[in-house]
Structure formats: C-alpha cells, structure tokens
Amino acid sequence: MSNPVYLALDLPQLDAAKALAEKVKGHVGGLKLGLEFFCAHGSHGVHEIAQVGLPIFLDLKLHDIPNTVAGAMQAIHVLEPAIVTVHASGGRAMLEDAKAAAGEHTKVVAVTMLTSLDERDLAKQGIGGTPHDHVMRLTELAHASGIDGIVCSGQEVGAAHKQWKDGFFVVPGLRPAGSAVGDQKRVVTPRKARDDGASVLVIGRPISRASDPAQAARDIEATL
C-alpha cells in the first residue's frame, strides 16, 4: 500500500469522526474503527465512514468460542472490512474458524499483547517470560493457524517479521518523536515500526488531537 498509516477514529460522535476522516483522507491510507465506535454506531456508522472512500479496519478484537467468533465474522461480511482483529489468546481453533468465516478480501489479524501492558502485567496474569517471549509464542500460533498476520507493538515487529516473512503486521501505539506517550507502555516512532517490517501503522491521538489534524498526518507521512 502506498500509505501504511491508518487513522484510529476512536470517537464516540459519528459526525465528528466522519469530519475528521474527511480532513485527513488525503494523507492516510485507511481508517480504524474500534470497539467504542462500533458499540456506539454499529453497522450504520461503519457504512457512513466507508463513504469517505478509504479502506476500513474493524478493530473488534473478537475473543470467544470458535463458533461464536465465526458467526461474528460472517455477520460483518456486509461491511466489507479490509482488516478485522481477533485475540490470538483465543486459541488455534478460534483463529482457524475466524479465517474460514471471513470475507474473501478481509485480512484477519490476531492481537498478541496490548501495547498498554508490560512484563508486570503479564506476571499478574500468571504468564511467564518477557513481552517479547509472549508475542513470539502467539505469533507462532497465529502463523500456524493460517490467518493473515498479527497485531504487535513496534518493539516486537522486527522479530515477528523475521519469524514470519510473509506475515501482515499491524502496529498500534505509535508516537512521533517528541509526542506524549499517554497510556501506552511499549511505543516506537512510525518510521521505526515501518523500517522493522510493519504493514500497517495505526495512529490515533497524535493526529486526532492535534490542533491541525491534516498537518499532523502530513508530517507523519513525510517521515515514512
């Protein structure tokens, strides 16, 4: 893709989300709609945002028994998303069924470890090893299941790319040099993630909360 940046439109107001998308559409490659947006506006909201004319990434992070996830994937066929997320921790059967139920042109990518978590959070969940270890284990699982790729932080994407040469890698939690980290714990710059093998760069607040979102998007695009 010519521009790997997907703007995270995690806004509860449909009109505001669509207006922001229109402002920056010339400087991003797609639009990510997360759980907050989907719960507020459902399929209608997705159709409205799709009118902007960019690929849609539905970041729903589906995680349930295989049959339920497969049913959810079938239910969103009509939305024709370019990318949909599921949780890698749902297991191989769930991942396989999610891919089998997805639309022909939809990439299914598995969330490995949220960028808001670190090693201490893993330990509290009873998961041993470092975030890197955990992401590599789940990357191997995702690859074996036959889905398209994974979601991981920029700190792991280089190693994941080496492990899975033709995988599709979505990297969130990115921050341009000098911007606030916020609630993210494992961040890198968009350029660093791209150089390390990221296929899609998910960027939200550095664009959506900028005084001039279009200029912020242009500035990020210029670094890639």
Side-chain angles (χ1 to χ4, degrees):
M1 71 182 58
S2 59
N3 188 337
V5 175
Y6 271 56
L7 171 63
L9 278 179
D10 296 326
L11 301 173
Q13 301 86 15
L14 179 56
D15 289 347
K18 193 170 183 180
L20 176 59
E22 289 285 359
K23 286 181 181 178
V24 305
K25 68 180 182 180
H27 304 285
V28 299
L31 302 168
K32 183 192 83 88
L33 301 176
L35 200 57
E36 181 179 3
F37 181 93
F38 196 75
C39 286
H41 305 294
S43 298
H44 166 72
V46 178
H47 281 300
E48 285 292 309
I49 297 298
Q51 291 178 14
V52 173
L54 290 173
I56 298 296
F57 171 9
L58 281 183
D59 188 19
L60 302 182
K61 298 183 177 72
L62 300 174
H63 188 179
D64 214 308
I65 63 172
N67 186 64
T68 298
V69 169
M73 293 295 289
Q74 291 171 343
I76 61 175
H77 276 194
V78 67
L79 303 177
E80 299 181 334
I83 308 168
V84 176
T85 50
V86 297
H87 265 291
S89 55
R92 180 165 178 167
M94 190 204 80
L95 296 175
E96 290 174 342
D97 285 8
K99 180 58 181 175
E104 181 182 358
H105 303 295
T106 297
K107 290 188 181 296
V108 178
V109 296
V111 176
T112 53
M113 180 176 170
L114 300 175
T115 53
S116 59
L117 301 178
D118 60 17
E119 189 167 346
R120 289 171 296 180
D121 296 305
L122 287 181
K124 290 175 182 177
Q125 296 175 47
I127 300 172
T130 65
H132 181 274
D133 296 333
H134 188 51
V135 171
M136 290 303 102
R137 287 192 296 263
L138 292 176
T139 298
E140 183 177 357
L141 173 65
H143 190 187
S145 75
I147 65 170
D148 298 286
I150 61 163
V151 182
C152 66
S153 88
Q155 293 183 6
E156 294 95 33
V157 70
H161 185 251
K162 288 179 182 177
Q163 182 172 313
W164 188 354
K165 292 295 186 183
D166 59 347
F168 187 83
F169 301 99
V170 176
V171 178
L174 299 169
R175 294 292 184 268
S179 63
V181 172
D183 59 355
Q184 306 294 335
K185 294 181 179 177
R186 294 169 14 258
V187 302
V188 300
T189 65
R191 178 57 187 266
K192 170 65 174 169
R194 186 63 167 163
D195 287 347
D196 285 348
S199 309
V200 164
L201 308 170
V202 178
I203 301 175
R205 283 168 281 188
I207 295 175
S208 63
R209 296 189 183 180
S211 57
D212 185 343
Q215 184 60 52
R218 281 194 293 268
D219 291 344
I220 291 170
E221 183 185 20
T223 69
L224 301 177

